[in-house]
Amino acid sequence: LSGINELRICTDYTHNGKRLRFVPASLKVMAEVETESITLPGWEEDISKARKWEDLPLNAQKYVEKIEEICGIPITWIGVGPDRDAMVAKPAK
């Protein structure tokens, strides 16, 4: 996601005025769905060499924390590249 100025996170789907709890399985319904999203600032830095939480740009950290907040579950690992060891462990709160 490095290099993207703004990152949008979809928070809700609505269909015919009704909030959906899950992403629709039907392509027909999905084509008719309206989305609600929030926008967060992105980051320019290359994060592929990051191996510690502190190595990530502040906006990347905030992005991960917002996803945790929305989903209601902790994120433990963040992939930062294609290599097997390209992982950042997120400290528990």
Side-chain angles (χ1 to χ4, degrees):
L1 299 174
S2 294
I4 300 175
N5 292 332
E6 293 183 332
L7 300 167
R8 291 180 61 198
I9 301 173
C10 181
T11 57
D12 284 301
Y13 294 95
T14 56
H15 183 252
N16 294 332
K18 181 180 175 189
R19 183 173 176 263
L20 304 177
R21 292 184 57 212
F22 302 101
V23 177
S26 163
L27 291 177
K28 179 185 179 309
V29 172
M30 189 62 178
E32 299 168 350
V33 161
E34 293 180 26
T35 61
E36 292 182 34
S37 63
I38 59 170
T39 303
L40 299 175
W43 58 91
E44 292 294 324
E45 299 90 340
D46 175 15
I47 63 171
S48 64
K49 302 288 187 239
R51 295 299 178 267
K52 297 182 296 193
W53 177 249
E54 298 79 21
D55 295 339
L56 294 174
L58 183 58
N59 284 348
Q61 292 177 18
K62 289 179 179 180
Y63 178 77
V64 171
E65 290 169 343
K66 180 54 80 172
I67 292 173
E68 284 181 318
E69 179 187 318
I70 292 167
C71 295
I73 58 170
I75 293 174
T76 307
W77 293 98
I78 299 108
V80 294
D83 295 332
R84 213 178 167 124
D85 67 339
M87 300 292 289
V88 171
K90 182 178 178 300
K93 288 188 175 183

